[in-house]
Amino acid sequence: MLEIQHFLKKYSTGFQLEIDSLLLNEGIHLIQGQNGAGKSTLFKAIVGIQTFQGEILLDDLNLEKKPLAFRKKVNYAEAEPLYPEFLSLSELILFVAKAKEAPRDQIERLKSSFGVTEFMEQPVATYSSGMLKKSSLLLAFLGQPKLIILDEPFTTIDKSSLENLIELIKLKKTEGVNFLISSHQTEFINLISFDSVHTISKGRIQ
Ligand SMILES: Nc1ncnc2c1ncn2[C@@H]1O[C@H](COP(=O)(O)OP(=O)(O)OP(=O)(O)O)[C@@H](O)[C@H]1O
């Protein structure tokens, strides 16, 4: 499903992440690592918002050669999402849904699944951290992604949202969607059956 070859990302700070070869088959994959290990760096490279050396392929789709087609198939919810504060979630949904060609009925189902209808017309500036997190998670499910990357998805959201999120991940897996998930929340990790677990440490992944 996802193949990474000869990957190298170096920051001016001296940090570097190097992956000779990594192949992730279909399924749900957990990426672990301490603060600053390089999880977000890897995720940002995979979604095409971070430069790197090497090759990343989603099935036969090469990120460097077909960036637009690749990005349509890969969705991402950042650990700490940031959006223009004057926009509402409703407006963000319209924007992302258009870019990702999300079907109308999917949008309605996701709104109810994440329980955002009460606040989605308000500007982002008024959102609590949980409202912001739910917004970014909802946006990550829009369209027909082959891979959804969720960076720390279990933080700040309430119990019922968390249960809904886990059910949605499991449902999407049955529909052929793959996941890369990072989390420091070990109590929630146990609620998902991961197909593989990888740890980033000292600039390498195992
Ligand atoms: N834009 C950047 N410029 C320079 N250094 C960066 C940049 N982004 C991240 N880093 C550095 O890269 C390293 C890896 O950071 P990254 O955010 O990928 O870690 P992480 O595993 O996601 O951490 P956390 O669990 O704290 O979210 C850190 O040393 C960080 O300081």
Side-chain angles (χ1 to χ4, degrees):
M1 183 269 297
L2 186 76
E3 189 177 346
I4 301 176
Q5 294 290 353
H6 314 298
F7 177 94
L8 178 65
K9 176 66 197 177
K10 276 184 189 179
Y11 290 122
S12 55
T13 49
F15 175 85
Q16 75 169 51
L17 178 63
E18 197 172 354
I19 301 171
D20 297 333
S21 178
L22 179 70
L23 177 62
L24 298 178
N25 294 321
E26 304 262 323
I28 308 180
H29 306 278
L30 179 66
I31 307 293
Q32 293 185 309
Q34 294 181 337
N35 292 135
K39 303 176 295 295
S40 305
T41 298
L42 176 63
F43 293 159
K44 285 177 182 167
I46 297 170
V47 294
I49 59 172
Q50 180 67 270
T51 58
F52 62 93
Q53 292 172 43
E55 271 200 326
I56 299 183
L57 291 108
L58 183 69
D59 296 329
D60 291 335
L61 210 49
N62 186 307
L63 169 58
E64 194 183 22
K65 292 184 182 143
K66 302 253 176 177
L68 285 180
F70 187 102
R71 290 213 299 268
K72 198 165 268 184
K73 289 278 159 208
V74 182
N75 289 1
Y76 176 44
E78 288 197 67
E80 286 170 23
L82 283 175
Y83 301 108
E85 298 214 318
F86 55 91
L87 291 179
S88 65
L89 172 59
S90 227
E91 290 165 323
L92 287 168
I93 290 173
L94 282 178
F95 177 73
V96 178
K98 190 169 179 199
K100 296 279 180 181
E101 295 174 9
R104 181 92 236 143
D105 62 326
Q106 180 194 53
I107 300 172
E108 295 312 315
R109 267 184 280 121
L110 285 173
K111 281 178 185 171
S112 109
S113 178
F114 281 100
V116 299
T117 44
E118 275 178 25
F119 65 84
M120 67 183 191
E121 303 303 336
Q122 297 172 24
V124 164
T126 66
Y127 292 4
S128 68
S129 56
M131 288 152 90
L132 200 56
K133 192 77 179 182
K134 286 202 274 191
S135 301
S136 90
L137 289 167
L138 183 158
L139 295 171
F141 280 86
L142 286 171
Q144 285 94 37
K146 174 85 184 159
L147 171 66
I148 299 181
I149 301 180
L150 303 175
D151 199 350
E152 291 292 339
F154 309 124
T155 54
T156 69
I157 56 172
D158 55 49
K159 191 166 175 279
S160 74
S161 304
L162 200 128
E163 287 165 0
N164 290 343
L165 172 63
I166 288 173
E167 285 313 306
L168 191 59
I169 292 171
K170 289 178 179 170
L171 173 72
K172 286 286 160 188
K173 184 188 174 181
T174 67
E175 296 173 3
V177 180
N178 303 285
F179 289 87
L180 279 191
I181 297 175
S182 83
S183 181
H184 295 292
Q185 319 291 112
T186 43
E187 65 271 39
F188 304 125
I189 288 174
N190 297 331
L191 300 176
I192 296 177
S193 164
F194 288 97
D195 295 282
S196 79
V197 179
H198 300 270
T199 304
I200 301 181
S201 171
K202 298 187 178 128
R204 296 270 182 176
I205 190 162
Q206 269 133 25

